[in-house]
Amino acid sequence: MKFLLLLFLPTLSFAQIFSKQEVTRYTAQSKNVNIIRDTWGIPHIYGKTDADAVFGLMYAQCEDDFRRVEMNSLEMLGRTAEVYGEKNLFADLQMRLIYDSSAAIDDYKNSPGWFKKLLDASADGVNFYLYKHPQVRPAILQRFEPWYALMRTDGSISATSNGGVRLDEIKAFYSGKELAFTNPVNSPLPENVNGSNGFALAPSKTESHNAMLYINPHVTFYFREEMHMVSGEGLNAYGAVTWGQFFIYQGFNEHCGWMHTSSHADVADLYREKIIRNKEGIFYQYNDSLKPVRSKLVELYYKRGDAVGRFPVTAYFTHHGPVLGGNGDVWLAVKEYNRSLKALMQSWLRTKANSYAQFEGTMNMRANTSNNTVYADDKGNIAYWHGDFMPRRDPSYDWSLPVDGTTSATEWKGVHELKEIVQVHNPASGWIQNCNSTPYTVSGISSPDKNKFPEYMAPDGQNPRAINAMR
């Protein structure tokens, strides 16, 4: 950080200005959408096409809580300090280091045509709401862009993987201060009292002889909204959506149900980079050579009364990823896969899966980084996958701690095949439970054997909720 600068700006106009062509497009699409609210106010959105259903879903979300739609977008864009002030600056910096908006824009441009229609509809639904409600005063975002959806690509409440670096360590490094590290660890506390709970029962365990799925996301109240999406293109999904996202995050359709618990599978790693400074710049050692540290100016802004503070930060990157902290000549860079076009497509496609084979096909995209998945369907199948995206690594290293970044021996070696990750399918025990807990007790006598998997796949501990679930 080099300096702080306060900019005094004129009062902002909150009038949302959309072109005549945009309004014509929004209005035409709205005629293909019907939103019906039931006795409890839950919106049931009917669209001629999938894109129409997405348009209606986003419009209905804004009707119910535009503030949350906007704030979730600002969080992922790293712009919350513009609303909440200086105290949020380093949380914003963390997001800007890990989530690259320019990459999201490129993903939007490179999206297949059918999916780009959904991205466009997601932004158009919000913008049409703003056009129709000029009295609404957005905190920051006067219009929404279709690439915003590509910043949070799996809908999870805890989608950010940074290898375990604390926010105060990021603040210390980028403030030019020394702070002793506490060996960041990629594993959870042994007991977490609160969290998500998912259960699946096989037909052998139910009076109806149908499979059953219990979905208890256990997030903060109103973190997600309950909604129903139907289209003339085969979509018929009901469940929970994360504010600002256009797909059913967890729920069911006519054939399949899916539930997520936040996973602690190790999907991000910290690398200890050995830093060398000379007259030519800043470098880091890699094998037998020096590689230049890449730098980029990140400009953050924060609210301070009627003024806007500018907060420029020079961010650093190695080929492993962004530098999140360090002391002296040892910096910590994180390698992660927090957002991607493939992940968002996977989130959408699973809502339309109509069989176990189709659902497993979406899991085989292997782009979901933050969720475990509990599954049941109308054919009586039940299943569990512990995580999804799983980097292949040398198991001789302790991946729960920062690893040596000076050698290619610690590089990821591709991604594990779906069949290689921890999972159970139609267990003989007839039941599945996961409560943000170890997968090695997920199905009683049918649970996976811990000795058959590398430690990094499931460092999760046991907790009281899981013990009670098994009982």
Side-chain angles (χ1 to χ4, degrees):
M1 174 199 327
K2 296 183 178 178
F3 61 90
L4 300 177
L5 177 66
L6 289 182
L7 306 174
F8 291 90
L9 301 179
T11 302
L12 293 174
S13 170
F14 287 92
Q16 292 83 39
I17 300 175
F18 301 100
S19 70
K20 183 178 179 180
Q21 291 80 5
E22 286 174 323
V23 173
T24 299
R25 185 176 79 247
Y26 304 158
T27 303
Q29 187 157 28
S30 71
K31 294 177 180 179
N32 296 329
V33 180
N34 191 17
I35 300 174
I36 300 174
R37 291 185 180 270
D38 63 24
T39 304
W40 297 273
I42 295 170
H44 301 254
I45 296 100
Y46 298 85
K48 184 176 180 180
T49 65
D50 286 351
D52 295 334
V54 166
F55 181 95
L57 183 90
M58 298 309 300
Y59 189 95
Q61 282 189 44
C62 293
E63 285 185 314
D64 291 341
D65 201 333
F66 172 77
R67 184 187 68 85
R68 288 178 184 269
V69 172
E70 183 183 19
M71 289 313 303
N72 273 5
S73 296
L74 290 174
E75 177 192 4
M76 303 310 293
L77 292 168
R79 296 183 62 183
T80 62
E82 295 174 46
V83 178
Y84 296 118
E86 189 174 358
K87 65 181 181 353
N88 277 42
L89 276 172
F90 286 97
D92 282 354
L93 176 60
Q94 175 182 245
M95 302 304 276
R96 296 280 287 275
L97 289 169
I98 293 175
Y99 292 89
D100 187 346
S101 60
S102 62
I105 293 170
D106 287 341
D107 278 349
Y108 168 73
K109 293 176 180 177
N110 296 323
S111 296
W114 68 268
F115 198 67
K116 187 174 286 188
K117 290 179 181 178
L118 303 184
L119 295 169
D120 289 339
S122 70
D124 288 353
V126 179
N127 290 334
F128 187 53
Y129 170 82
L130 292 175
Y131 167 74
K132 296 288 285 185
H133 298 80
Q135 74 279 10
V136 172
R137 295 167 63 90
I140 301 294
L141 301 175
Q142 302 297 304
R143 69 164 58 230
F144 278 62
E145 300 295 337
W147 58 267
Y148 287 179
L150 282 157
M151 295 299 287
R152 185 194 296 271
T153 53
D154 65 4
S156 177
I157 192 172
S158 56
T160 302
S161 298
N162 68 358
V165 176
R166 302 192 317 268
L167 194 59
D168 64 334
E169 293 171 327
I170 296 174
K171 181 178 181 179
F173 179 80
Y174 282 105
S175 297
K177 300 177 181 177
E178 294 289 324
L179 182 67
F181 280 101
T182 56
N183 265 338
V185 176
N186 270 332
S187 60
L189 295 174
E191 294 186 0
N192 40 337
V193 178
N194 301 312
S196 301
N197 313 288
F199 314 120
L201 299 175
S204 63
K205 293 292 185 181
T206 67
E207 185 175 3
S208 68
H209 302 298
N210 294 312
M212 298 181 70
L213 178 68
Y214 286 80
I215 300 175
N216 173 222
H218 212 81
V219 293
T220 52
F221 208 51
Y222 291 129
F223 181 85
R224 298 191 178 103
E225 183 175 21
E226 191 172 340
M227 307 186 87
H228 182 200
M229 301 177 74
V230 182
S231 83
E233 295 181 328
L235 175 68
N236 188 4
Y238 187 106
V241 298
T242 300
W243 299 103
Q245 275 293 24
F246 62 80
F247 56 88
I248 301 297
Y249 169 65
Q250 50 190 355
F252 57 93
N253 58 34
E254 293 172 292
H255 302 284
C256 306
W258 60 97
M259 188 276 166
H260 297 306
T261 60
S262 295
S263 181
H264 296 289
D266 184 356
V267 295
D269 290 307
L270 290 174
Y271 288 82
R272 297 190 309 271
E273 311 286 23
K274 185 176 181 181
I275 300 301
I276 307 295
R277 294 177 175 86
N278 59 38
K279 62 181 180 180
E280 296 179 358
I282 304 176
F283 299 82
Y284 62 104
Q285 185 176 330
Y286 188 69
N287 289 335
D288 296 323
S289 64
L290 295 182
K291 296 173 71 73
V293 172
R294 183 169 63 89
S295 64
K296 180 176 73 173
L297 179 65
V298 175
E299 296 198 81
L300 303 169
Y301 296 89
Y302 66 98
K303 181 180 180 181
R304 186 172 182 178
D306 293 330
V308 176
R310 176 174 171 267
F311 191 87
V313 177
T314 300
Y316 298 103
F317 301 81
T318 71
H319 77 278
H320 292 122
V323 175
L324 298 185
N327 273 315
D329 61 355
V330 177
W331 289 3
L332 293 180
V334 66
K335 188 174 180 65
E336 42 74 21
Y337 183 68
N338 278 321
R339 50 131 258 108
S340 74
L341 171 61
K342 190 176 178 181
L344 188 57
M345 291 175 65
Q346 179 176 349
S347 295
W348 172 261
L349 289 171
R350 68 170 169 247
T351 70
K352 299 189 71 174
N354 287 328
S355 66
Y356 178 82
Q358 286 185 19
F359 192 90
E360 187 178 46
T362 68
M363 291 294 298
N364 201 37
M365 294 176 74
R366 292 173 291 158
N368 184 340
T369 61
S370 66
N371 298 310
N372 307 314
T373 302
V374 187
Y375 169 90
D377 65 30
D378 61 349
K379 301 299 183 185
N381 297 299
I382 64 173
Y384 173 80
W385 294 269
H386 195 74
D388 185 45
F389 169 84
M390 178 54 60
R392 189 187 302 276
R393 289 161 277 201
D394 183 342
S396 65
Y397 289 90
D398 183 354
W399 295 94
S400 69
L401 298 173
V403 295
D404 185 358
T406 68
T407 172
S408 55
T410 56
E411 296 293 347
W412 290 357
K413 307 178 190 309
V415 179
H416 279 281
E417 297 293 329
L418 182 65
K419 63 184 179 181
E420 295 174 332
I421 70 172
V422 186
Q423 59 196 279
V424 293
H425 302 164
N426 294 324
S429 64
W431 56 267
I432 290 170
Q433 66 76 31
N434 184 263
C435 303
N436 311 118
S437 49
T438 174
Y440 300 124
T441 59
V442 71
S443 299
I445 60 171
S446 303
S447 300
D449 182 354
K450 182 177 183 179
N451 296 317
K452 294 182 178 180
F453 300 93
E455 182 66 25
Y456 59 74
M457 277 195 180
D460 315 64
Q462 188 58 287
N463 64 47
R465 287 181 288 119
I467 293 172
N468 195 42
M470 289 185 285
R471 179 185 64 80

